[in-house]
Amino acid sequence: MKSVCSLAVELLKSRGAHSSAAARRHGAEMCKELKTKVLRLVQPASNGPSLREEDHTDAAEILSCTVKALKEGHVVAVPTDTIYGLACLAQNSDAIRKTYNIKGRNGQKPLAICVGEIQDIYKYCKVMVKKELLCDLLPGPVTLVFERSEVLNVDFNPFTSLVGVRIPDHAFMRRLCQMCGEPLALTSANISSHGSTVAVNEFKDLWPKVSVVVDGGPIGDQSRLGSTVVDLSVHNKYRIIRPGCALSSTVDVLQHKYGLSEDSGKE
């Protein structure tokens, strides 16, 4: 549906030429003290020069660093197409518990999973809609809720038979999921009940609690509404769980293109 843009990556740097050296020293000291790696994604302007080969090497390194942290059971902070998120491996029960503890999140509130490709959804969810519908909404700022499959970690949202799945329209996140080869658990990068974050400096209080902070710059969508969450677990029905930032376009696809009717929850 949407092409994956190219990304260059560099370590956290100051934007000002005169303060760049001091900023790098400060960043390095801070990261050493917190044992947290802060890495900055840089997306070139559309009319800018082509990426240099060394930029691609850096991109591979930052992805490798983040994947390594996830595989070791750590929690990382990452940008998405809507807000910043905390991520860990959904199949790692200890990492799931860490994520809840970092946020101070109610254990009865579910996390979503994040995957890299449409086909991955079928492994972890019992899909009740046409593949074309999935392709019309994903990648994008939408969380689709289905019945979970038996493959998904039993300790992941054990209180519900449903699971929300995301494919963010964000090149780094999609590639990260592909390289991990398994779903990420994803939730907002904030203390529970606090506002969503659209820049890394808005959740600095969480930096010491995560292994890697990937700074993708300010999120383009400043609404802070998060993804639109829609339950598609009932055949030919949909139910909006959270309006989010893409409500109108999502409902238009569900109703007018695929003929789904809204589930009021009443018999």
Side-chain angles (χ1 to χ4, degrees):
M1 171 179 158
K2 300 172 183 174
S3 62
V4 177
C5 64
S6 297
L7 293 173
V9 187
E10 61 179 12
L11 293 177
L12 184 64
K13 297 179 181 178
S14 167
R15 289 181 174 84
H18 296 293
S19 60
S20 59
R24 282 195 295 271
R25 285 195 299 271
H26 175 72
E29 290 168 0
M30 179 176 62
C31 293
K32 182 178 180 181
E33 178 184 350
L34 302 179
K35 293 183 170 54
T36 297
K37 294 180 180 178
V38 182
L39 306 172
R40 183 176 172 223
L41 289 168
V42 176
Q43 186 171 343
S46 58
N47 59 350
S50 59
L51 296 180
R52 299 168 299 176
E53 184 175 346
E54 57 265 33
D55 290 330
H56 288 287
T57 301
D58 286 341
E61 288 174 357
I62 196 171
L63 281 163
S64 177
C65 176
T66 310
V67 170
K68 182 175 184 292
L70 289 165
K71 293 287 189 180
E72 290 176 350
H74 298 300
V75 179
V76 301
V78 290
T80 74
D81 52 351
T82 55
I83 56 178
Y84 272 85
L86 298 179
C88 70
L89 295 185
Q91 302 296 74
N92 186 319
S93 300
D94 287 337
I96 295 296
R97 285 188 283 272
K98 287 181 188 176
T99 303
Y100 274 93
N101 289 337
I102 289 171
K103 283 180 62 72
R105 187 175 177 84
N106 184 324
Q108 295 300 305
K109 289 187 176 181
L111 306 179
I113 62 170
C114 180
V115 298
E117 302 290 346
I118 294 289
Q119 67 230 31
D120 298 331
I121 298 174
Y122 292 88
K123 183 175 182 180
Y124 303 102
C125 305
K126 299 176 181 178
V127 179
M128 302 282 290
V129 297
K130 295 180 179 179
K131 184 176 182 180
E132 290 79 6
L133 186 154
L134 301 182
C135 294
D136 278 341
L137 294 177
L138 301 172
V142 183
T143 300
L144 303 181
V145 177
F146 299 103
E147 289 282 341
R148 59 189 287 157
S149 77
E150 293 75 15
V151 175
L152 198 58
N153 180 6
V154 295
D155 292 328
F156 182 83
N157 302 344
F159 45 84
T160 177
S161 62
L162 303 179
V163 63
V165 59
R166 285 215 65 200
I167 304 180
D169 186 19
H170 193 285
F172 178 83
M173 282 302 296
R174 292 188 64 193
R175 186 60 184 141
L176 182 64
C177 291
Q178 292 162 0
M179 290 179 66
C180 284
E182 56 183 297
L184 302 182
L186 189 64
T187 185
S188 55
N190 60 330
I191 298 296
S192 189
S193 80
H194 289 201
S196 299
T197 57
V198 294
V200 294
N201 63 354
E202 295 181 351
F203 59 90
K204 273 191 173 181
D205 52 335
L206 298 184
W207 286 17
K209 302 178 182 180
V210 300
S211 177
V212 174
V213 175
V214 179
D215 181 1
I219 302 294
D221 175 17
Q222 295 286 308
S223 70
R224 302 177 187 266
L225 294 176
S227 63
T228 295
V229 183
V230 55
D231 185 346
L232 297 176
S233 63
V234 178
H235 186 61
N236 286 331
K237 299 278 189 179
Y238 76 90
R239 181 172 64 90
I240 300 298
I241 297 175
R242 182 177 72 191
C245 64
L247 177 62
S248 178
S249 58
T250 300
V251 170
D252 186 60
V253 168
L254 297 175
Q255 284 189 351
H256 300 134
K257 187 167 184 178
Y258 292 97
L260 275 62
S261 58
E262 185 170 10
D263 185 357
S264 64
K266 298 177 181 179
E267 295 295 333

